[in-house]
Amino acid sequence: MNNIIVGMGEALWDVLPEGKKIGGAPANFAYHVSQFGFDSRVVSAVGNDDLGDEILKVFKEKQLKHQLQTVNYPTGTVQVTLDDNGIPCYDIKEGVAWDNIPFTDDLKRLALSTRAVCFGSLAQRNEVSRTSINRFLDTMPDGEGQLKIFDINLRQGFFTKDIIRDSCQRCNVLKINDEELVAISRLFGYPGIDLQDKCWILLAKYNLKMLILTCGTNGSYVFTPGVVSFQETPKVPVADTVGAGDSFTATFTAALLKGKSVPEAHKLAVEVSAYVCTQSGAMPELPQVLKDKL
């Protein structure tokens, strides 16, 4: 089986108080997967502008492979402000390049040789990219080891009930945080039951292999039909939490594909995301001691 792992969706600049940093969940995911030795790709679009050229330059410096289409829209930016606890608040610009990812023959070929893909809800806010993401997922070959990870990443008002439902039907792994789970439960009218019961409902309703629930400082869970894994969140000095969730997803995916059990993959994912919280920005290089655990 092929081993290409794809992060698909937004590629952009996070404009932070101290300056701009490369961002977007798919790029963060693909970068951290590549640190564990996997052949990863970022699939997105950039504008024919200086910011787009800079993204290509940064990806080259980080040796991050990509299929970035250049389109006639500006490269995406997000204005990020941090609250007193280092938690990011986002102002995500609309009508940008990553809203307009075309589905090309090259993208079809990539889909046919992809073993795992991670996608979210944000890049589906516009019909062009949403159609391309869905075609990519539908083109991927179905196999026992294929992972289609919907890292829901609700941002501002950029999601609808239809987008969430369609993505849950196409994925086999759902990653969601506690606040998002409450929002989704309201959207779908689930009764006022506890978070774990809501997770079991989603796992069964969409016939998922796994559901990952992160609860900030209160730990994280991985639900599968046979096993529940829980890990406490380590207490670390937080620089910022930008990209920490993406590093969790990337590490968990890489560990599963290396044959680790769900609890083993979960434990390492927590360790890596805790380390990323101690660093500024979404794409710090991981220390060798963490890489060596795979």
Side-chain angles (χ1 to χ4, degrees):
M1 180 183 281
N2 49 71
N3 270 326
I4 296 177
I5 303 179
V6 170
M8 186 170 189
E10 61 274 15
L12 48 83
W13 288 102
D14 285 323
V15 184
L16 296 145
E18 69 271 20
K20 71 180 191 298
K21 291 186 186 296
I22 200 89
N28 300 339
F29 171 83
Y31 174 69
H32 286 296
V33 162
S34 74
Q35 293 201 78
F36 289 107
F38 279 91
D39 185 2
S40 70
R41 301 281 192 286
V42 187
V43 172
S44 189
V46 294
N48 187 15
D49 51 26
D50 289 345
L51 288 177
D53 292 344
E54 280 189 76
I55 285 180
L56 293 170
K57 182 182 174 189
V58 170
F59 284 1
K60 186 175 182 180
E61 287 170 356
K62 291 186 176 290
Q63 299 182 318
L64 184 51
K65 296 179 185 175
H66 56 80
Q67 284 189 207
L68 296 185
Q69 292 291 314
T70 302
V71 296
N72 291 322
Y73 294 87
T75 298
T77 56
V78 178
Q79 202 73 36
V80 184
T81 52
L82 303 176
D83 70 13
D84 292 341
N85 297 314
I87 307 297
C89 307
Y90 305 92
D91 176 21
I92 304 166
K93 304 305 178 189
E94 297 186 61
V96 294
W98 57 259
D99 285 316
N100 296 278
I101 304 167
F103 192 78
T104 60
D105 287 342
D106 282 347
L107 210 49
K108 182 178 180 180
R109 280 190 287 273
L110 180 63
L112 288 168
S113 57
T114 293
R115 183 171 182 189
V117 63
C118 186
F119 66 103
S121 61
L122 178 57
Q124 299 187 65
R125 66 181 181 177
N126 185 50
E127 187 178 356
V128 176
S129 290
R130 181 166 67 249
T131 300
S132 293
I133 288 168
N134 287 338
R135 288 183 68 184
F136 189 95
L137 293 166
D138 293 346
T139 301
M140 278 177 67
D142 287 321
E144 185 59 34
Q146 305 293 123
L147 296 176
K148 298 178 181 180
I149 304 145
F150 181 34
D151 189 352
I152 200 163
N153 267 339
L154 299 183
R155 293 285 182 262
Q156 294 170 210
F158 296 129
F159 59 93
T160 66
K161 189 174 179 178
D162 286 346
I163 287 170
I164 301 301
R165 185 183 57 242
D166 290 351
S167 295
C168 286
Q169 288 170 343
R170 281 185 164 90
C171 77
N172 55 22
V173 178
L174 173 63
K175 179 167 176 275
I176 191 166
N177 68 33
D178 48 356
E179 292 177 1
E180 291 166 341
L181 185 55
V182 171
I184 295 306
S185 298
R186 285 201 196 107
L187 197 63
F188 286 91
Y190 293 147
I193 51 180
D194 73 15
L195 292 183
Q196 289 199 42
D197 285 342
K198 288 180 168 74
C199 290
W200 288 119
I201 288 172
L202 287 167
L203 194 76
K205 180 177 175 65
Y206 294 107
N207 194 29
L208 302 172
K209 289 181 178 180
M210 282 166 236
L211 186 150
I212 301 163
L213 173 66
T214 59
C215 303
T217 56
N218 296 317
S220 56
Y221 299 82
V222 181
F223 297 86
T224 74
V227 176
V228 180
S229 173
F230 172 76
Q231 288 285 330
E232 291 186 358
T233 302
K235 289 181 172 59
V236 295
V238 175
D240 66 54
T241 63
V242 180
D246 305 320
S247 71
F248 180 111
T249 314
T251 305
F252 186 77
T253 302
L256 285 181
L257 295 181
K258 290 276 192 178
K260 299 291 186 186
S261 68
V262 167
E264 288 170 333
H266 186 189
K267 184 173 186 291
L268 183 56
V270 168
E271 288 181 48
V272 169
S273 61
Y275 173 78
V276 171
C277 285
T278 69
Q279 306 297 302
S280 180
M283 293 190 198
E285 181 162 355
L286 297 178
Q288 196 62 42
V289 65
L290 285 175
K291 296 181 189 178
D292 287 346
K293 293 196 176 186
L294 284 191

